[in-house]
Every structure is written in structure tokens, then in C-alpha cells.
Coordinates of all heavy atoms in Angstrom, one line a residue:
M58 N -18.4 -4.0 4.6 CA -18.2 -2.7 5.3 C -19.3 -1.8 4.8 O -19.5 -1.7 3.6 CB -16.8 -2.1 5.1 CG -16.6 -0.8 5.7 SD -14.9 -0.2 5.7 CE -14.3 -1.1 7.1
T59 N -19.9 -1.0 5.7 CA -20.9 -0.1 5.3 C -20.4 1.3 5.3 O -19.2 1.5 5.8 CB -22.1 -0.1 6.3 OG1 -21.6 0.3 7.6 CG2 -22.7 -1.5 6.4
T60 N -21.1 2.2 4.8 CA -20.7 3.6 4.8 C -20.4 4.1 6.2 O -19.4 4.8 6.4 CB -21.8 4.5 4.1 OG1 -22.1 4.0 2.8 CG2 -21.4 6.0 4.0
S61 N -21.2 3.8 7.1 CA -21.0 4.2 8.5 C -19.7 3.6 9.1 O -19.1 4.2 9.9 CB -22.2 3.9 9.4 OG -22.5 2.5 9.4
D62 N -19.4 2.4 8.7 CA -18.1 1.8 9.1 C -16.9 2.5 8.6 O -15.9 2.5 9.2 CB -18.0 0.3 8.7 CG -19.1 -0.6 9.3 OD1 -19.5 -0.3 10.5 OD2 -19.5 -1.6 8.7
Y63 N -17.1 3.1 7.4 CA -15.9 3.7 6.7 C -16.0 5.2 7.0 O -15.6 6.0 6.2 CB -16.0 3.4 5.2 CG -14.7 3.8 4.5 CD1 -13.6 3.0 4.7 CD2 -14.7 4.9 3.7 CE1 -12.4 3.3 4.0 CE2 -13.5 5.2 3.0 CZ -12.4 4.4 3.2 OH -11.2 4.7 2.6
D64 N -16.4 5.6 8.1 CA -16.5 7.0 8.5 C -15.1 7.6 8.9 O -14.6 7.3 10.0 CB -17.5 7.2 9.7 CG -17.8 8.6 10.0 OD1 -17.2 9.5 9.4 OD2 -18.7 8.8 10.8
T65 N -14.5 8.3 8.0 CA -13.2 8.9 8.2 C -13.2 9.9 9.3 O -12.1 10.3 9.8 CB -12.5 9.5 6.9 OG1 -13.4 10.5 6.4 CG2 -12.3 8.4 5.9
R66 N -14.3 10.4 9.7 CA -14.4 11.4 10.8 C -13.8 10.8 12.1 O -13.3 11.5 12.9 CB -15.8 11.8 11.1 CG -16.3 12.8 10.0 CD -17.7 13.1 10.2 NE -18.6 11.9 10.1 CZ -19.9 11.9 10.3 NH1 -20.5 13.0 10.6 NH2 -20.5 10.7 10.2
L67 N -13.8 9.4 12.2 CA -13.2 8.8 13.4 C -11.7 8.9 13.4 O -11.1 8.8 14.4 CB -13.6 7.3 13.4 CG -15.1 7.0 13.4 CD1 -15.3 5.5 13.3 CD2 -15.7 7.5 14.7
D68 N -11.1 9.2 12.2 CA -9.7 9.3 12.1 C -9.2 10.7 11.9 O -8.2 11.0 11.4 CB -9.2 8.5 10.8 CG -9.7 7.1 10.9 OD1 -9.6 6.5 12.0 OD2 -10.0 6.5 9.9
T69 N -10.0 11.7 12.4 CA -9.8 13.1 12.2 C -8.4 13.5 12.7 O -7.7 14.2 12.0 CB -10.8 14.0 12.9 OG1 -12.1 13.6 12.4 CG2 -10.6 15.4 12.7
A70 N -8.0 13.1 13.9 CA -6.7 13.6 14.4 C -5.5 13.0 13.5 O -4.6 13.7 13.2 CB -6.5 13.1 15.8
F71 N -5.6 11.7 13.2 CA -4.6 11.1 12.3 C -4.5 11.8 11.0 O -3.4 12.1 10.5 CB -5.0 9.6 12.1 CG -4.2 8.9 11.1 CD1 -2.9 8.5 11.3 CD2 -4.7 8.6 9.8 CE1 -2.1 7.9 10.4 CE2 -4.0 8.0 8.9 CZ -2.7 7.6 9.1
L72 N -5.7 12.0 10.3 CA -5.7 12.7 9.0 C -5.2 14.1 9.1 O -4.5 14.6 8.2 CB -7.1 12.6 8.4 CG -7.5 11.2 8.1 CD1 -9.0 11.2 7.7 CD2 -6.7 10.6 7.0
A73 N -5.4 14.8 10.2 CA -4.9 16.2 10.3 C -3.4 16.2 10.4 O -2.7 17.0 9.8 CB -5.6 16.8 11.6
E74 N -2.9 15.2 11.2 CA -1.4 15.1 11.3 C -0.8 14.8 9.9 O 0.3 15.3 9.6 CB -1.0 14.1 12.4 CG -1.3 14.7 13.8 CD -0.8 13.8 14.8 OE1 0.3 13.2 14.7 OE2 -1.5 13.6 15.9
I75 N -1.3 13.8 9.2 CA -0.8 13.4 7.9 C -0.9 14.7 7.0 O 0.1 14.9 6.2 CB -1.6 12.3 7.3 CG1 -1.4 11.0 8.2 CG2 -1.2 12.0 5.9 CD1 0.0 10.5 8.2
T76 N -2.0 15.4 7.0 CA -2.1 16.6 6.2 C -1.0 17.6 6.5 O -0.4 18.2 5.6 CB -3.5 17.2 6.4 OG1 -4.5 16.3 6.0 CG2 -3.7 18.5 5.6
E77 N -0.7 17.8 7.7 CA 0.4 18.7 8.1 C 1.7 18.2 7.6 O 2.5 19.0 7.1 CB 0.4 18.9 9.6 CG 1.4 19.9 10.1 CD 1.2 21.3 9.4 OE1 0.0 21.7 9.2 OE2 2.2 22.0 9.2
V78 N 2.0 16.9 7.7 CA 3.2 16.4 7.1 C 3.3 16.6 5.6 O 4.4 17.1 5.1 CB 3.3 14.9 7.4 CG1 4.5 14.2 6.6 CG2 3.5 14.6 8.9
F79 N 2.2 16.4 4.9 CA 2.2 16.7 3.5 C 2.5 18.2 3.2 O 3.2 18.6 2.3 CB 0.9 16.3 2.8 CG 0.8 14.8 2.5 CD1 1.0 13.8 3.4 CD2 0.6 14.5 1.1 CE1 0.9 12.5 3.1 CE2 0.6 13.1 0.8 CZ 0.7 12.1 1.7
R80 N 1.9 19.1 4.0 CA 2.1 20.5 3.9 C 3.6 20.9 4.1 O 4.1 21.8 3.4 CB 1.2 21.3 4.8 CG -0.2 21.4 4.4 CD -1.0 22.3 5.2 NE -2.4 22.3 4.9 CZ -3.4 22.1 5.7 NH1 -3.2 21.9 7.0 NH2 -4.6 22.0 5.3
R81 N 4.2 20.3 5.1 CA 5.6 20.6 5.5 C 6.6 20.1 4.4 O 7.7 20.5 4.4 CB 5.9 20.1 6.9 CG 5.3 20.9 8.0 CD 6.0 20.5 9.3 NE 6.3 19.2 9.6 CZ 5.6 18.3 10.2 NH1 4.4 18.7 10.8 NH2 6.0 17.0 10.4
H82 N 6.2 19.1 3.7 CA 7.1 18.5 2.7 C 6.4 18.4 1.3 O 6.1 17.3 0.8 CB 7.5 17.0 3.2 CG 8.1 17.0 4.5 ND1 9.4 17.3 4.8 CD2 7.5 16.8 5.8 CE1 9.6 17.2 6.1 NE2 8.5 16.9 6.7
P83 N 6.2 19.6 0.7 CA 5.5 19.6 -0.6 C 6.1 18.8 -1.7 O 5.4 18.2 -2.5 CB 5.4 21.1 -0.9 CG 6.4 21.8 -0.1 CD 6.6 20.9 1.1
E84 N 7.4 18.8 -1.8 CA 8.1 18.0 -2.9 C 7.9 16.5 -2.7 O 7.6 15.8 -3.6 CB 9.6 18.4 -2.9 CG 9.8 19.8 -3.5 CD 9.2 20.1 -4.8 OE1 9.3 19.2 -5.7 OE2 8.5 21.1 -4.9
A85 N 8.0 16.1 -1.5 CA 7.8 14.6 -1.2 C 6.3 14.3 -1.4 O 6.0 13.2 -1.9 CB 8.2 14.3 0.2
A86 N 5.4 15.2 -1.0 CA 4.0 15.0 -1.1 C 3.6 14.7 -2.6 O 2.6 14.1 -2.8 CB 3.2 16.2 -0.5
K87 N 4.3 15.3 -3.5 CA 4.0 15.0 -5.0 C 4.2 13.6 -5.3 O 3.7 13.1 -6.3 CB 4.9 15.9 -5.8 CG 4.5 17.4 -5.7 CD 5.5 18.2 -6.6 CE 5.2 19.7 -6.3 NZ 6.2 20.5 -7.1
K88 N 5.0 12.8 -4.6 CA 5.3 11.4 -4.9 C 4.5 10.4 -4.2 O 4.5 9.2 -4.5 CB 6.8 11.1 -4.5 CG 7.8 11.9 -5.3 CD 9.2 11.5 -5.1 CE 9.6 11.6 -3.6 NZ 11.1 11.3 -3.4
Y89 N 3.7 10.9 -3.1 CA 3.0 9.9 -2.3 C 1.5 10.3 -2.2 O 1.1 11.4 -2.4 CB 3.6 9.9 -0.9 CG 5.0 9.5 -0.9 CD1 6.1 10.4 -0.9 CD2 5.4 8.1 -1.0 CE1 7.4 10.1 -0.9 CE2 6.7 7.8 -1.0 CZ 7.7 8.7 -1.0 OH 9.0 8.3 -1.0
T90 N 0.7 9.3 -1.8 CA -0.7 9.5 -1.5 C -1.1 8.7 -0.3 O -0.4 7.7 0.0 CB -1.5 9.1 -2.7 OG1 -2.9 9.5 -2.5 CG2 -1.4 7.7 -3.0
L91 N -2.1 9.0 0.3 CA -2.6 8.2 1.4 C -3.8 7.3 0.9 O -4.6 7.8 0.2 CB -3.2 9.1 2.5 CG -3.7 8.4 3.8 CD1 -2.5 7.7 4.5 CD2 -4.3 9.5 4.7
A92 N -3.7 6.0 1.1 CA -4.7 5.1 0.5 C -5.4 4.3 1.5 O -4.9 4.0 2.6 CB -4.0 4.2 -0.5
S93 N -6.6 4.0 1.3 CA -7.4 3.1 2.1 C -7.1 1.6 1.7 O -6.7 1.3 0.6 CB -8.9 3.3 1.8 OG -9.7 2.3 2.3
R94 N -7.3 0.8 2.7 CA -7.0 -0.7 2.4 C -8.4 -1.4 2.2 O -8.4 -2.6 2.4 CB -6.3 -1.3 3.6 CG -4.9 -0.8 3.7 CD -4.2 -1.7 4.7 NE -2.8 -1.3 4.8 CZ -2.0 -1.8 5.7 NH1 -2.4 -2.8 6.4 NH2 -0.8 -1.4 5.7
E95 N -9.4 -0.7 1.9 CA -10.7 -1.3 1.7 C -10.7 -2.4 0.6 O -11.3 -3.5 0.8 CB -11.8 -0.3 1.4 CG -13.2 -0.8 1.3 CD -13.7 -1.7 2.4 OE1 -13.2 -1.6 3.5 OE2 -14.6 -2.4 2.2
V96 N -10.1 -2.2 -0.5 CA -10.1 -3.2 -1.5 C -9.4 -4.5 -1.0 O -9.9 -5.6 -1.2 CB -9.3 -2.7 -2.8 CG1 -9.1 -3.8 -3.8 CG2 -10.2 -1.5 -3.4
E97 N -8.2 -4.3 -0.4 CA -7.5 -5.5 0.2 C -8.4 -6.2 1.2 O -8.4 -7.4 1.3 CB -6.2 -5.0 0.7 CG -5.2 -4.6 -0.3 CD -5.2 -3.1 -0.6 OE1 -6.3 -2.5 -0.4 OE2 -4.2 -2.6 -1.2
R98 N -9.1 -5.4 2.0 CA -9.9 -6.0 3.0 C -11.0 -6.9 2.4 O -11.3 -8.0 2.8 CB -10.6 -5.0 3.9 CG -11.3 -5.6 5.1 CD -12.3 -4.6 5.8 NE -13.4 -4.2 4.9 CZ -14.5 -5.0 4.7 NH1 -14.6 -6.2 5.3 NH2 -15.5 -4.6 3.9
R99 N -11.6 -6.4 1.3 CA -12.7 -7.1 0.6 C -12.1 -8.4 0.0 O -12.8 -9.4 -0.1 CB -13.3 -6.2 -0.4 CG -14.2 -5.2 0.2 CD -14.9 -4.3 -0.9 NE -15.6 -3.2 -0.3 CZ -16.5 -2.5 -1.0 NH1 -16.7 -2.7 -2.2 NH2 -17.1 -1.5 -0.4
L100 N -10.9 -8.3 -0.5 CA -10.3 -9.5 -1.1 C -9.7 -10.5 -0.1 O -9.2 -11.5 -0.4 CB -9.1 -9.0 -2.0 CG -9.6 -8.3 -3.3 CD1 -8.4 -7.7 -4.0 CD2 -10.4 -9.2 -4.2
G101 N -9.7 -10.1 1.2 CA -9.1 -10.9 2.2 C -7.6 -11.0 2.3 O -7.0 -11.9 2.7
V102 N -7.0 -9.9 1.8 CA -5.5 -9.8 1.8 C -5.0 -9.7 3.2 O -5.5 -8.8 4.0 CB -5.0 -8.7 0.9 CG1 -3.5 -8.5 1.0 CG2 -5.4 -8.9 -0.6
D103 N -4.0 -10.4 3.6 CA -3.3 -10.4 4.9 C -1.9 -10.1 4.6 O -1.1 -11.0 4.3 CB -3.5 -11.7 5.6 CG -2.9 -11.7 7.0 OD1 -2.2 -10.7 7.3 OD2 -3.0 -12.7 7.7
Y104 N -1.5 -8.8 4.8 CA -0.1 -8.5 4.5 C 1.0 -9.1 5.4 O 2.1 -9.1 5.1 CB 0.1 -7.0 4.5 CG -0.4 -6.3 3.3 CD1 -1.3 -5.2 3.3 CD2 0.1 -6.6 2.0 CE1 -1.7 -4.6 2.2 CE2 -0.3 -6.0 0.9 CZ -1.3 -4.9 1.0 OH -1.7 -4.3 -0.1
T105 N 0.5 -9.7 6.5 CA 1.5 -10.4 7.3 C 1.9 -11.8 6.7 O 3.0 -12.3 7.0 CB 0.9 -10.7 8.8 OG1 -0.2 -11.5 8.6 CG2 0.6 -9.4 9.5
R106 N 1.1 -12.3 5.8 CA 1.4 -13.5 5.1 C 1.5 -13.4 3.6 O 1.8 -14.4 2.9 CB 0.5 -14.7 5.6 CG -0.9 -14.5 5.2 CD -1.8 -15.7 5.7 NE -3.1 -15.6 5.2 CZ -3.5 -15.7 3.9 NH1 -2.6 -16.1 3.0 NH2 -4.8 -15.5 3.5
Q107 N 1.1 -12.3 3.1 CA 1.1 -12.0 1.7 C 1.8 -10.7 1.3 O 2.0 -9.9 2.2 CB -0.4 -12.0 1.1 CG -1.1 -13.2 1.3 CD -2.6 -13.0 1.0 OE1 -3.3 -12.3 1.7 NE2 -3.0 -13.6 -0.1
Y108 N 2.1 -10.6 0.0 CA 2.6 -9.3 -0.5 C 1.9 -9.0 -1.8 O 1.5 -9.9 -2.5 CB 4.1 -9.3 -0.6 CG 4.7 -10.3 -1.6 CD1 4.9 -9.9 -3.0 CD2 5.0 -11.6 -1.3 CE1 5.4 -10.7 -3.9 CE2 5.5 -12.4 -2.2 CZ 5.7 -12.0 -3.5 OH 6.2 -12.9 -4.5
G109 N 1.8 -7.7 -2.1 CA 1.2 -7.3 -3.4 C 2.3 -7.1 -4.4 O 3.3 -6.5 -4.1
F110 N 2.0 -7.5 -5.6 CA 2.9 -7.2 -6.7 C 2.1 -6.7 -7.9 O 1.1 -7.3 -8.3 CB 3.6 -8.5 -7.1 CG 4.6 -8.3 -8.3 CD1 5.8 -7.7 -8.1 CD2 4.2 -8.7 -9.6 CE1 6.7 -7.5 -9.2 CE2 5.1 -8.5 -10.6 CZ 6.3 -7.9 -10.4
S111 N 2.5 -5.5 -8.4 CA 1.8 -4.9 -9.5 C 2.6 -4.7 -10.7 O 3.8 -4.6 -10.6 CB 1.3 -3.5 -9.0 OG 0.3 -3.6 -8.0
W112 N 2.0 -4.6 -11.9 CA 2.7 -4.3 -13.1 C 1.7 -3.7 -14.0 O 0.5 -3.7 -13.8 CB 3.2 -5.6 -13.7 CG 2.2 -6.6 -14.2 CD1 1.7 -6.7 -15.5 CD2 1.5 -7.6 -13.4 NE1 0.8 -7.7 -15.5 CE2 0.7 -8.3 -14.3 CE3 1.6 -7.9 -12.1 CZ2 -0.1 -9.3 -13.9 CZ3 0.8 -9.0 -11.7 CH2 -0.1 -9.6 -12.5
I113 N 2.2 -3.0 -15.1 CA 1.4 -2.3 -16.0 C 1.3 -3.1 -17.3 O 2.3 -3.6 -17.8 CB 2.0 -0.9 -16.3 CG1 2.1 -0.1 -15.0 CG2 1.2 -0.2 -17.4 CD1 2.9 1.2 -15.1
E114 N 0.0 -3.3 -17.8 CA -0.2 -4.1 -19.0 C -1.4 -3.4 -19.7 O -2.5 -3.3 -19.1 CB -0.5 -5.5 -18.6 CG -0.7 -6.5 -19.7 CD -1.0 -7.9 -19.2 OE1 0.0 -8.4 -18.6 OE2 -2.1 -8.4 -19.4
D115 N -1.2 -3.1 -21.0 CA -2.2 -2.5 -21.8 C -2.9 -1.3 -21.1 O -4.1 -1.2 -21.2 CB -3.3 -3.6 -22.2 CG -2.7 -4.7 -23.0 OD1 -1.8 -4.4 -23.8 OD2 -3.1 -5.8 -22.9
G116 N -2.1 -0.4 -20.5 CA -2.7 0.8 -19.9 C -3.4 0.5 -18.6 O -4.1 1.4 -18.1
R117 N -3.3 -0.7 -18.1 CA -4.0 -1.0 -16.8 C -2.9 -1.4 -15.7 O -1.9 -1.9 -16.1 CB -5.0 -2.1 -17.0 CG -6.1 -1.8 -17.9 CD -7.0 -3.0 -18.1 NE -6.2 -4.1 -18.7 CZ -6.5 -5.4 -18.6 NH1 -7.5 -5.8 -18.0 NH2 -5.7 -6.3 -19.2
V118 N -3.2 -1.1 -14.5 CA -2.4 -1.6 -13.4 C -3.0 -2.9 -12.9 O -4.2 -2.9 -12.5 CB -2.3 -0.6 -12.3 CG1 -1.5 -1.1 -11.1 CG2 -1.7 0.7 -12.8
L119 N -2.3 -4.0 -13.0 CA -2.7 -5.3 -12.5 C -2.0 -5.6 -11.2 O -0.8 -5.3 -11.1 CB -2.5 -6.3 -13.5 CG -3.1 -6.1 -14.9 CD1 -2.7 -7.1 -15.9 CD2 -4.6 -6.0 -14.8
T120 N -2.7 -6.2 -10.2 CA -2.1 -6.5 -9.0 C -2.4 -8.0 -8.6 O -3.6 -8.4 -8.7 CB -2.6 -5.6 -7.8 OG1 -2.2 -4.3 -8.2 CG2 -1.9 -5.9 -6.5
E121 N -1.4 -8.7 -8.2 CA -1.6 -10.0 -7.6 C -1.1 -10.0 -6.2 O -0.1 -9.3 -5.8 CB -0.7 -11.1 -8.3 CG -1.2 -11.4 -9.7 CD -0.3 -12.4 -10.4 OE1 0.8 -12.8 -9.8 OE2 -0.7 -12.8 -11.5
Y122 N -1.8 -10.7 -5.3 CA -1.4 -10.9 -3.9 C -0.8 -12.3 -3.8 O -1.5 -13.3 -4.1 CB -2.5 -10.6 -3.0 CG -3.0 -9.2 -3.1 CD1 -4.0 -8.8 -3.9 CD2 -2.3 -8.2 -2.4 CE1 -4.4 -7.5 -4.1 CE2 -2.6 -6.9 -2.6 CZ -3.7 -6.5 -3.4 OH -4.0 -5.2 -3.6
R123 N 0.4 -12.4 -3.4 CA 1.1 -13.7 -3.4 C 1.5 -14.1 -2.0 O 1.8 -13.2 -1.1 CB 2.4 -13.6 -4.2 CG 2.1 -13.3 -5.7 CD 3.4 -13.1 -6.5 NE 3.1 -12.7 -7.9 CZ 4.0 -12.3 -8.7 NH1 5.2 -12.3 -8.4 NH2 3.6 -12.0 -10.0
D124 N 1.4 -15.4 -1.7 CA 1.8 -15.9 -0.4 C 3.3 -15.8 -0.2 O 4.0 -16.3 -1.0 CB 1.3 -17.3 -0.2 CG -0.2 -17.4 0.0 OD1 -0.8 -16.4 0.4 OD2 -0.8 -18.5 -0.4
R125 N 3.7 -15.3 0.9 CA 5.2 -15.2 1.2 C 5.8 -16.5 1.3 O 7.0 -16.7 0.8 CB 5.4 -14.4 2.5 CG 5.0 -12.9 2.4 CD 5.2 -12.2 3.8 NE 4.6 -10.9 3.7 CZ 5.2 -9.9 3.2 NH1 6.4 -10.0 2.7 NH2 4.6 -8.7 3.2
D126 N 5.2 -17.5 1.8 CA 5.8 -18.8 2.0 C 5.9 -19.6 0.7 O 6.9 -20.3 0.5 CB 4.9 -19.7 3.0 CG 5.0 -19.1 4.4 OD1 5.9 -18.4 4.7 OD2 4.1 -19.4 5.2
K127 N 4.9 -19.5 -0.2 CA 4.9 -20.2 -1.4 C 5.7 -19.5 -2.5 O 6.3 -20.2 -3.4 CB 3.5 -20.4 -1.9 CG 2.7 -21.3 -1.0 CD 1.2 -21.4 -1.5 CE 0.4 -22.2 -0.5 NZ -1.0 -22.2 -0.9
E128 N 5.7 -18.2 -2.6 CA 6.4 -17.4 -3.6 C 7.1 -16.3 -3.0 O 6.7 -15.1 -3.0 CB 5.4 -16.8 -4.6 CG 4.6 -17.9 -5.4 CD 3.6 -17.2 -6.4 OE1 4.1 -16.5 -7.3 OE2 2.4 -17.3 -6.3
P129 N 8.3 -16.6 -2.4 CA 9.1 -15.5 -1.8 C 9.4 -14.4 -2.8 O 9.6 -14.7 -4.0 CB 10.4 -16.2 -1.3 CG 10.0 -17.7 -1.3 CD 8.9 -17.9 -2.3
A130 N 9.4 -13.2 -2.4 CA 9.7 -12.1 -3.3 C 11.1 -12.2 -3.8 O 12.0 -12.5 -3.1 CB 9.5 -10.8 -2.5
V131 N 11.2 -12.0 -5.1 CA 12.5 -12.0 -5.8 C 12.9 -10.5 -5.8 O 12.2 -9.7 -6.3 CB 12.4 -12.5 -7.2 CG1 13.8 -12.4 -7.9 CG2 11.9 -13.9 -7.3
V132 N 14.1 -10.3 -5.2 CA 14.6 -8.9 -5.1 C 15.2 -8.5 -6.4 O 16.2 -9.0 -6.8 CB 15.5 -8.7 -3.9 CG1 16.0 -7.3 -3.8 CG2 14.8 -9.2 -2.6
R133 N 14.6 -7.5 -7.0 CA 15.1 -6.8 -8.2 C 15.0 -5.3 -7.9 O 14.7 -4.9 -6.8 CB 14.3 -7.2 -9.4 CG 14.4 -8.6 -9.8 CD 13.6 -8.8 -11.1 NE 13.5 -10.2 -11.5 CZ 12.4 -11.0 -11.4 NH1 11.3 -10.4 -11.0 NH2 12.5 -12.2 -11.8
A134 N 15.2 -4.5 -8.9 CA 15.0 -3.1 -8.7 C 13.4 -2.9 -8.6 O 12.7 -3.3 -9.5 CB 15.5 -2.3 -9.9
R135 N 13.0 -2.4 -7.5 CA 11.5 -2.3 -7.3 C 11.2 -1.0 -6.6 O 12.1 -0.4 -5.9 CB 11.0 -3.5 -6.5 CG 11.5 -3.6 -5.1 CD 11.0 -4.9 -4.4 NE 11.3 -4.8 -3.0 CZ 11.1 -5.8 -2.2 NH1 10.6 -6.9 -2.7 NH2 11.4 -5.7 -1.0
L136 N 10.0 -0.5 -6.8 CA 9.6 0.7 -6.1 C 8.4 0.3 -5.2 O 7.5 -0.3 -5.6 CB 9.0 1.7 -7.2 CG 10.0 2.0 -8.3 CD1 9.2 2.8 -9.4 CD2 11.2 2.8 -7.8
C137 N 8.6 0.7 -4.0 CA 7.6 0.4 -2.9 C 6.3 1.3 -3.2 O 6.4 2.5 -3.3 CB 8.2 0.6 -1.5 SG 7.0 0.0 -0.3
L138 N 5.2 0.6 -3.2 CA 3.9 1.3 -3.4 C 3.2 1.5 -2.1 O 2.5 2.5 -1.9 CB 3.0 0.5 -4.4 CG 3.5 0.4 -5.8 CD1 2.6 -0.5 -6.6 CD2 3.8 1.7 -6.4
K139 N 3.3 0.5 -1.2 CA 2.6 0.6 0.1 C 3.5 0.0 1.2 O 4.1 -1.0 1.0 CB 1.3 -0.3 0.1 CG 0.2 0.2 -0.9 CD -1.0 -0.6 -0.8 CE -2.0 0.0 -1.8 NZ -3.2 -0.8 -1.9
Q140 N 3.5 0.8 2.3 CA 4.3 0.4 3.4 C 3.3 0.2 4.6 O 2.3 0.9 4.7 CB 5.3 1.4 3.8 CG 6.3 1.6 2.6 CD 7.5 2.5 3.0 OE1 8.0 2.4 4.1 NE2 7.8 3.4 2.1
E141 N 3.7 -0.7 5.5 CA 2.9 -1.0 6.7 C 3.8 -0.7 7.9 O 5.0 -1.1 7.9 CB 2.4 -2.4 6.7 CG 1.6 -2.8 7.8 CD 1.0 -4.2 7.6 OE1 1.8 -5.2 7.9 OE2 -0.1 -4.3 7.2
L142 N 3.3 -0.1 8.9 CA 4.0 0.1 10.2 C 4.0 -1.1 11.0 O 2.9 -1.6 11.4 CB 3.5 1.3 10.9 CG 4.2 1.7 12.2 CD1 5.6 2.2 11.8 CD2 3.5 2.8 12.9
R143 N 5.2 -1.7 11.3 CA 5.3 -2.9 12.1 C 6.2 -2.5 13.2 O 7.4 -2.4 13.0 CB 5.8 -4.1 11.3 CG 4.8 -4.5 10.3 CD 5.1 -5.8 9.7 NE 4.1 -6.1 8.6 CZ 4.4 -7.0 7.7 NH1 5.6 -7.6 7.6 NH2 3.5 -7.2 6.7
G144 N 5.7 -2.4 14.4 CA 6.5 -1.9 15.5 C 6.9 -0.5 15.3 O 6.0 0.3 15.1
Q145 N 8.2 -0.2 15.2 CA 8.6 1.1 14.9 C 9.2 1.2 13.5 O 9.8 2.2 13.1 CB 9.7 1.5 15.9 CG 9.2 1.6 17.3 CD 8.1 2.6 17.5 OE1 8.3 3.8 17.0 NE2 7.0 2.3 18.1
E146 N 9.0 0.2 12.6 CA 9.6 0.2 11.3 C 8.5 0.2 10.2 O 7.5 -0.5 10.4 CB 10.5 -1.1 11.1 CG 11.7 -1.1 12.0 CD 12.6 -2.3 11.6 OE1 12.7 -2.7 10.5 OE2 13.2 -2.8 12.6
L147 N 8.8 0.8 9.1 CA 7.9 0.7 7.9 C 8.5 -0.4 7.1 O 9.7 -0.5 6.8 CB 8.0 2.0 7.1 CG 7.2 3.2 7.7 CD1 7.5 4.5 6.9 CD2 5.7 2.9 7.7
V148 N 7.6 -1.3 6.7 CA 7.9 -2.5 5.9 C 7.2 -2.4 4.6 O 5.9 -2.2 4.6 CB 7.5 -3.8 6.7 CG1 7.8 -5.0 5.8 CG2 8.3 -3.9 8.0
C149 N 7.9 -2.6 3.5 CA 7.2 -2.6 2.2 C 6.4 -3.8 2.0 O 6.9 -4.9 2.2 CB 8.2 -2.5 1.0 SG 7.5 -2.3 -0.6
V150 N 5.1 -3.7 1.7 CA 4.2 -4.8 1.6 C 3.6 -4.9 0.2 O 2.9 -5.9 -0.2 CB 3.1 -4.8 2.6 CG1 3.6 -4.9 4.0 CG2 2.2 -3.6 2.5
H151 N 3.9 -4.0 -0.7 CA 3.3 -4.0 -2.1 C 4.3 -3.1 -2.9 O 4.6 -2.0 -2.6 CB 1.9 -3.3 -2.0 CG 1.2 -3.4 -3.3 ND1 -0.2 -3.3 -3.3 CD2 1.6 -3.5 -4.6 CE1 -0.6 -3.4 -4.6 NE2 0.5 -3.4 -5.3
W152 N 4.7 -3.7 -4.1 CA 5.6 -3.0 -4.9 C 5.4 -3.3 -6.4 O 4.6 -4.1 -6.8 CB 7.1 -3.3 -4.6 CG 7.4 -4.8 -4.6 CD1 7.8 -5.5 -5.7 CD2 7.4 -5.7 -3.6 NE1 7.9 -6.8 -5.4 CE2 7.7 -7.0 -4.1 CE3 7.1 -5.6 -2.2 CZ2 7.8 -8.1 -3.3 CZ3 7.1 -6.8 -1.4 CH2 7.5 -8.0 -2.0
I153 N 6.1 -2.5 -7.2 CA 6.1 -2.7 -8.6 C 7.6 -2.7 -9.1 O 8.4 -2.0 -8.4 CB 5.3 -1.5 -9.3 CG1 5.1 -1.8 -10.8 CG2 6.0 -0.2 -9.1 CD1 4.1 -0.8 -11.5
E154 N 7.9 -3.5 -10.1 CA 9.3 -3.5 -10.6 C 9.6 -2.2 -11.2 O 8.8 -1.6 -11.9 CB 9.5 -4.6 -11.5 CG 9.6 -6.0 -10.8 CD 10.1 -7.1 -11.7 OE1 11.0 -6.8 -12.6 OE2 9.6 -8.2 -11.5
A155 N 10.8 -1.7 -11.0 CA 11.3 -0.4 -11.6 C 11.7 -0.7 -13.0 O 12.1 -1.8 -13.4 CB 12.5 0.1 -10.8
V156 N 11.4 0.3 -13.9 CA 11.9 0.2 -15.3 C 13.4 0.5 -15.3 O 13.8 1.5 -14.7 CB 11.1 1.3 -16.1 CG1 11.6 1.2 -17.5 CG2 9.6 1.0 -16.0
E157 N 14.1 -0.4 -15.9 CA 15.5 -0.2 -16.0 C 15.9 0.7 -17.2 O 15.3 0.8 -18.1 CB 16.2 -1.6 -16.1 CG 15.9 -2.4 -14.8 CD 16.7 -3.7 -14.8 OE1 17.7 -3.8 -15.5 OE2 16.2 -4.5 -14.0

């Protein structure tokens, strides 16, 4: 991807609406951020067949992308980091285990 491909000016209307949602919900906005998927794109991550799992180790955030078919997600206490809109539903595609 080149700089011209990553031109967020093409997403002006979308970003303006997201900005307004953050303004209307300042307390919730402190918990969330809007992120690009450029890193995942470069790694070839496909959230329809994979999920991301992150953990903290030695002051770093480490992330693995696992195949859903080979390593089904084990449901424990987890915090969703990234959600993807599928149809009319938000689906968690990347999480970190919650500290108990």
C-alpha cells in the first residue's frame, strides 16, 4: 500500500460521523479508539477465518493470529479489542484475556 492508497480524505464522511459519535459520548470515547487495519493487511490476516489474540509480556503487547478451524477460541473472561461489522452485527475478532 502506498501513501496515496492510504488517503483518509476518501473516508471524510465516515470519519466525521465517527468523530461526532465520540463527541456525543465522551466517557465511552475514553475507552475506545479508531484503528487502521494496515498492519493486519500487510500480514495477510483474514478475520473471516482467523482471530487475533493478544497478551502483555515484559511491557510489550504481543499478538498472534490463529486459525479459527485449527484453534477454536477458548471462552474465558476476555476484553474485546477489535470488532468487525458483519451484516448488522458487531463481531469480536481480536481480544485479550481479562485480568481476574
